[in-house]
Amino acid sequence: MKKVTTIITFALLLFVISGLGSNVQAQASEKSSGDEIVKKANDLAEKYGFKAVSDENISTEATLNFDSIEEFEVFLKTEQEKNNISEELNEVAQLSQKVMSLANTTKTYTYKEYTGVSVITSYAQVTRNSKGIVTNVNVWSDQSGINVPIKYLETTTFYTLNSSKTGGTATIKGTKFYGVNVVGQEVGYSNPVTYTVSF
């Protein structure tokens, strides 16, 4: 009877150990799969000009969620195209503002980028004298709305005047931080952005 009890105990012990082994193996497999997803996501992000970050600027409370690497790539491509198109649209919009400003002494010119749940606005407040010569320019930017999962931080601003000093271009440089969840893997990215406001 003692032999039977020992054999049963030994069999139960092997069963428990083999169950734990397969669980450890499953966890290792999941980690490996997660690492592969993060690597693919990072490679794609780099391709489209994004930089992987581990930073307090990334929100883990609200993230952009993607069910596949392909879906994430479509988003990255759209963001890149949006940055390229925004410069062209800004030039057209600012030309009409420039023509209308000739009668004003102080005017604020803006450019807006809509990020889904927030708006990043760039400003150039321009003062001109009675001859239309620019006498003062203030440049700044801000983000309004919900700043997760995309957070914007301004890094520098400056402006240049044309040769007649009747107009110019304000430049705002900053960084957008993205909290992202790609196929269950939380990652963060940053992307430098430049906005221009013609006046």
Side-chain angles (χ1 to χ4, degrees):
M1 181 71 173
K2 189 175 180 184
K3 244 183 190 181
V4 172
T5 306
T6 305
I7 292 172
I8 291 172
T9 304
F10 184 70
L12 285 172
L13 185 60
L14 281 176
F15 178 74
V16 170
I17 290 172
S18 68
L20 288 174
S22 65
N23 189 27
V24 168
Q25 221 174 14
Q27 288 177 351
S29 175
E30 285 177 18
K31 179 161 178 43
S32 174
S33 176
D35 290 344
E36 289 174 21
I37 290 169
V38 170
K39 182 177 179 349
K40 285 180 183 176
N42 287 347
D43 289 347
L44 278 174
E46 187 177 333
K47 174 182 172 183
Y48 290 99
F50 289 74
K51 178 182 175 185
V53 292
S54 173
D55 195 275
E56 68 275 359
N57 292 308
I58 304 303
S59 169
T60 54
E61 296 169 11
T63 58
L64 300 167
N65 294 309
F66 304 96
D67 294 327
S68 69
I69 289 290
E70 294 77 17
E71 187 179 327
F72 180 53
E73 182 173 18
V74 169
F75 168 77
L76 293 173
K77 188 173 182 181
T78 303
E79 280 292 294
Q80 183 187 53
E81 289 171 353
K82 186 166 60 171
N83 287 342
N84 294 340
I85 291 171
S86 67
E87 290 181 22
E88 297 169 15
L89 294 176
N90 183 44
E91 288 177 18
V92 172
Q94 299 308 323
L95 280 175
S96 66
Q97 287 183 349
K98 186 176 176 182
V99 170
M100 293 169 55
S101 73
L102 295 177
N104 299 329
T105 55
T106 299
K107 181 167 180 159
T108 302
Y109 302 83
T110 62
Y111 172 74
K112 296 178 186 275
E113 179 190 1
Y114 297 89
T115 65
V117 292
S118 70
V119 180
I120 299 170
T121 307
S122 300
Y123 302 89
Q125 185 180 54
V126 181
T127 303
R128 290 182 174 86
N129 65 18
S130 60
K131 296 179 181 177
I133 304 296
V134 174
T135 57
N136 189 46
V137 180
N138 292 316
V139 181
W140 74 97
S141 63
D142 63 29
Q143 181 179 23
S144 58
I146 301 170
N147 67 356
V148 290
I150 299 174
K151 182 176 180 179
Y152 166 75
L153 290 177
E154 177 186 292
T155 54
T156 187
T157 64
F158 57 92
Y159 68 91
T160 55
L161 297 177
N162 60 25
S163 59
S164 61
K165 298 190 178 183
T166 56
T169 303
T171 302
I172 299 93
K173 291 182 179 282
T175 304
K176 286 163 68 176
F177 296 91
Y178 300 77
V180 177
N181 185 313
V182 181
V183 196
Q185 302 303 310
E186 289 189 359
V187 287
Y189 297 100
S190 68
N191 188 31
V193 289
T194 300
Y195 303 110
T196 57
V197 182
S198 298
F199 57 86

